[in-house]
Amino acid sequence: MQRPAKGKTPRRPALKKTSHTQKDPVGVYCRIRPLGATDEECCIEMISSTTIQLHAPDGIKANRNGEYKETQYSFKKVFGIQTSQIELFEDVAKPLVDDLIHCKNGLLFTYGVTGSGKTFTMTGSPGEGGLLPRSLDMLFNSIGPLQAKRFVFRTDDKNGMEIQGQVDALLERQKRESNQQSTVPKTPSSKQKPDPEFADMISPEEACKCEGVDEDSCYSVFVSYIEIYNNYIYDLLEEAPIDPIRHKPPQSKILREDQNHNMYVSGCTEVEVKSTEEAFQVFWRGQKKRRIADTQLNRESSRSHSVFIVKLAQAPLDADGDHILQDKNQVTVSQLCLVDLAGSERTSRTKAEGSRLREAGNINQSLMTLRTCIEVLRENQMCGTNRMVPYRDSKVTHLFKNYFDGEGKVRMVVCVNPKADDYEETMLVMRFAELTQEVEVARPVDRPICSLAAGRRHRNQAFRDELSRRQEERPGGPNNTEDGSVLNQLLDSLPALPACELVDPTDEQILPRLIEVLERRHRIRQMITEQYTRTANTLKSMLQEFDGHLMAKENFIHEQWGKLGEKDKIMFNQKNEMDRLEKKSKMLEYKIDILQKTTNIYEGDKRSLQQELESREQRLQRELSERKRMEARMQGMVSDTKHQWEKECARRVNAKQLEMQNKLWVKDEKLKQLKAIVSESNSSATSEQQRPPPPPDKPQRASRETDQPRAPEKRSRSPLPTTGTPIRLHHRRSHSAGGERWVDHKPLSNLDLDTVMQPIIPNAIKVSAASEKALSKCHKYVLTHQELASDGEIQTKLIKGDVFRTRGGGQAVQFTDIETLRQECPTASSRKRSSDDGPGQHDGNQMDWNDRENRAPVASTSSGLGLQIGYQKRRK
C-alpha cells in the first residue's frame, strides 16, 4: 500500500512580492434590471456599452444650486435590459473558469441594493441559468474525461489536499458505500435523475468548453457552500444529526489561516462532485437552507451573504501516462469563489422590525466595511501610504483578504434597478463601483511547467487502443484469412522437405538430405531477412524524407497561417476601429441630441425665468408706487400729528406759564400782606407806647382784608367755617386697612407723585413683581397701577383681590375692587373762567385767590399752593 502524498495548497509560491509585479484593475461590470411596470419612472439611461447616465427623478430634480443633477459612470462593460445570461457569462465568468483550469484563483461577486437582481444574475431560473450553473457546466465540459476517480484526491482539515493510491482510493470508496452512518454527507451520484428545478438550467446549444486543457493531468472538483449571517459563518452543506426531542441550531464556523497565509473556513464540508448536475444538486441542497425573508421591497430578500467555493485539484500523470504522479510538489489547487452579497437597504423603506432590523444592520455594516477596505487599498496604491486595511472588521472582507492581496483575479457585477424609488441608493452603489475600479490587484503567477514529456496520456491511450485492436485480430478475427494466405505463399517459396521416415537404423541418406534442405532453407531465410532489412531501411529513409517534406510543407502552411492570422488581426483591428468610430459617432450624435434637448430645456427655462423676472419687476414697481403712496400718507399723518402735538405742547406751556405766574403773584401778595402786617404791627406798637391807651368803648381797627370789598363767592364750591378751630374732614376708610395681611404690588415703572395723601397699607409685603412665595403668606392682594387720565393728569388705581389656594397646590387671585386716586389742579378751570369773563371780573378772581390763600391754613383738604387732592372710590 502506498503512503498518501500530501499536496501543497498555495496558488503561487510564497515568495516576497517585488515592486515590478504586474497589476490589473478590478473588473467592474454593470447590469441593468428591467422595470417591473412600463409606466414606472426610469432614472438610468444606457449611453454606450461602457457608460450609463443617472437622471434625478422629479421629486429631487434640483440640487442646492438649482441645477439638474445628471451624472455619468463608466464600467468595463454595461449590460442592458435585453442582455441574456449567456452573453453576461461569456464576458464576465468564462475567463475566470479558464483561469481556474489553468491553476489561477478567481473571485466573482454581485453587488447592489435589495431587489436589483443579484440572485438572478448569480443563480438564474429554469431556462435561464446564471453565472454559477454555467461556470460549473463549462468546467465539467472541459475536464470531464480527464477526471480522477473518487477519493484519489482527499481534503484535509488544514486547507490542504492529499493524494491516495489506487488501492487506497478503492478501499475508501468501498468504506464510504458501506458506512451509511458516517458524519460526512453522502456524495450524490451523478447517474441519478436530475432535479426538475434545475434540469433545464442550461440548454445543450449554450454549452461551452475551455480550450488548451492540459490532458496530461488528472482533475478533481470539490465544492463547498457557506453563508455569512449576522457576521457569523454557517456551513449550508453540513448535515447535523436529527434530534426529535430538542432541535439544535447550526454551529457557526471560524476563519483560520493556513501555513501559506491563506484564509479558509475551518471545519467546512467539501463535497467531491463529478458532473454539472451533481454539483448543482449539492448547491441546491444548500440553497434551500439559506436565510431569506419577505420585506416591503423584495418578496424573497436574501438576509445573508452566500459564498459558493469551487476548488479544483490537479496533478500530472507519471511518465507512462497511466497513474497520477505521487509527487506532492506537483499537486496544484485553485479555487473560484462565487459570492452573492445581500443587498443594502434602508429600514425606513423596508419597514423592518425585530430580527429583520438586526439583519439589515449587519448587512449594511459588512458592506460598509467592504467599502472602507476598498478606500484604504485605493489610498495606499495612489498615495503611496501604508495604512492598515481593516479586513478583520467583517467576515466577508477577512475571508477574501488574499484575493485583494494578489492571490487571484477579482471581478464585480453591479446590479442596478432603474426605478426612481431606488435613485439615492443607486447613487451610493455607483460611487462604490467607481471607487472599486481604481483598485489594482496583482496578476497571478503561472504555475511551473512539468518536466515530463507532453502527450503521455495520448500515447498511453493509443497503446491501449492498438493492444485492444490486436487482441481483436487474433484467430477467429476478420483479418485471419488474408494473413494465412501470405504465410502460405512464404512457406511455398522455401525448398520442400524430403521424406523423413527412418526405416533402417543404418540408413545414411535421409539425414544428410534433410540437413541439406534445412541448410538451404536457412540460407533462403537469411536472404529474405536481409532483403526485408534493406527494404525496411529504404522504406524508413523514404518515410523520413516524406516526413521532412511534410514538415517543410507544414512549416510553410504554418507560416502562411501566421501571415493569414496577421492579416486577420489587421482586419479585426480595422473592424474594431471602424466599430469604435461608429460607436463614437453614434455616441457623439447621441450627445448632440442630449445637448440639443438640454439647450431646449435651458431656453425654455430662460424664457420662463424672463417672464418671471418681468412679472417680479412689475410687482416691484407696484410695490414701490404703493410704498411711495404710503410714505406720502404717513408724512401727512406725521405732519398732522406733529401739528396737533405742537398745539398741545404750546397750550400746556402757556397753561404752565400762567400757573407759575399765578403762583408768583400769590407769593408776592403774601409777601406784601406779611410786610404790611409787620409794618403795621411795628407802627401800632410804637404808637401805643407814645399814646395813652384808647377808651374801652372804641372798636378795634379792622384788618385790611375785612376793609377790602369782597367779590361774589361764585368760585367757592363749599363754604369754609370762619371759626379759628380747624375742621377735620372725615373720609371713608379704605378696605385695604383691614387686619388681613396684604401683598402690596408696586411695579418699578410707577412714578412718585409727592402728594399729601398716599395709600399706606399696614402689615403688607411690598413686592415689585408678584410671586407664589409672597402670595402663599397673605390673604389679600393689591396692585398699584398708574395711567394718564383724559385731562392729561396721572391717576392711580388700586386693584384689590382675594388670594386663595388652588387644587394643584398653587395660588390664585380673584379681583374684587378698584380704588382710584386722582390729582386735580383747580387753576385750569379758574383760567378758563377768567378768559371767558370780562376784564371787570379779573379783580374778583384775584380776590378769590387771596381769599383762598387766607383760608388755607384752616382747611384740611387744601394745600398751601392752592392744590386740592380729591379722594374717590369706585366699585366694580
Side-chain angles (χ1 to χ4, degrees), residues 119-120 122-124 132 197-198 201 225-227 236-237 280-292 300 302 304-308 340:
T119 304
F120 175 78
M122 184 61 67
T123 306
L132 190 146
E197 292 182 351
F198 55 89
M201 275 282 186
Y225 197 16
I226 62 173
E227 72 169 353
L236 296 177
L237 301 181
F280 201 79
Q281 186 176 357
V282 173
F283 165 78
W284 204 257
R285 189 180 68 193
Q287 185 73 5
K288 293 179 180 179
K289 296 181 181 180
R290 188 182 177 188
R291 292 173 174 87
I292 59 175
E300 294 182 357
S302 301
S304 63
H305 309 298
S306 65
V307 183
F308 188 76
D340 182 12

Side-chain angles (χ1 to χ4, degrees), residues 505-523:
T506 60
D507 190 358
E508 296 180 358
Q509 295 180 359
I510 296 177
L511 290 178
R513 285 200 302 268
L514 182 60
I515 292 171
E516 184 181 359
V517 172
L518 292 175
E519 288 178 354
R520 279 188 299 173
R521 281 177 170 260
H522 180 68
R523 286 195 298 269

Side-chain angles (χ1 to χ4, degrees), residues 56-69:
D58 295 335
I60 47 176
K61 271 286 185 185
N63 57 9
R64 295 179 181 177
N65 300 327
E67 300 175 354
Y68 292 102
K69 297 190 295 185

Side-chain angles (χ1 to χ4, degrees), residues 368-408:
M368 181 61 66
T369 304
L370 177 62
R371 180 186 180 92
T372 304
C373 294
I374 293 295
E375 290 177 352
V376 175
L377 281 172
R378 173 179 172 272
E379 181 181 351
N380 290 342
Q381 292 177 2
M382 299 186 66
C383 302
T385 58
N386 194 19
R387 288 181 56 191
M388 186 184 68
V389 184
Y391 290 119
R392 294 179 178 270
D393 292 350
S394 174
K395 292 294 192 301
V396 176
T397 54
H398 195 195
L399 179 60
F400 303 125
K401 175 179 75 70
N402 306 105
Y403 290 94
F404 292 102
D405 288 342
E407 290 293 337

Side-chain angles (χ1 to χ4, degrees), residues 29-150:
Y29 302 83
C30 179
R31 186 179 192 183
I32 305 175
R33 173 183 176 173
L35 287 172
T38 56
D39 56 346
E40 286 186 351
E41 183 181 3
C42 180
C43 65
I44 296 178
E45 183 178 1
M46 182 177 173
I47 296 179
S48 64
S49 60
T50 58
T51 308
I52 64 173
Q53 183 171 348
L54 266 67
H55 303 279
D58 295 335
I60 47 176
K61 271 286 185 185
N63 57 9
R64 295 179 181 177
N65 300 327
E67 300 175 354
Y68 292 102
K69 297 190 295 185
E70 294 181 355
T71 54
Q72 293 184 0
Y73 297 94
S74 299
F75 299 88
K76 193 169 183 178
K77 191 170 184 180
V78 177
F79 301 95
I81 58 176
Q82 303 296 334
T83 303
S84 61
Q85 296 280 54
I86 184 63
E87 294 176 0
L88 180 68
F89 171 76
E90 289 286 342
D91 291 326
V92 179
K94 186 176 180 180
L96 295 179
V97 179
D98 195 0
D99 290 343
L100 176 68
I101 297 175
H102 292 87
C103 308
K104 297 178 183 178
N105 295 337
L107 171 63
L108 173 62
F109 60 95
T110 56
Y111 183 85
V113 300
T114 180
S116 58
K118 299 182 299 299
T119 304
F120 175 78
T121 300
M122 184 61 67
T123 306
S125 62
E128 296 181 355
L131 299 178
L132 190 146
R134 293 182 185 276
S135 300
L136 294 174
D137 185 66
M138 177 181 175
L139 177 62
F140 285 103
N141 289 340
S142 303
I143 66 168
L146 307 178
Q147 295 186 76
K149 294 183 178 181
R150 292 186 188 274

Side-chain angles (χ1 to χ4, degrees), residues 721-749:
T722 57
T723 59
T725 60
I727 298 175
R728 191 179 301 275
L729 295 178
H730 295 280
H731 298 280
R732 183 181 176 187
R733 186 175 179 85
S734 174
H735 287 287
S736 61
E740 297 89 351
R741 195 167 185 182
W742 288 76
V743 175
D744 188 3
H745 183 187
K746 291 185 178 180
L748 297 176
S749 60

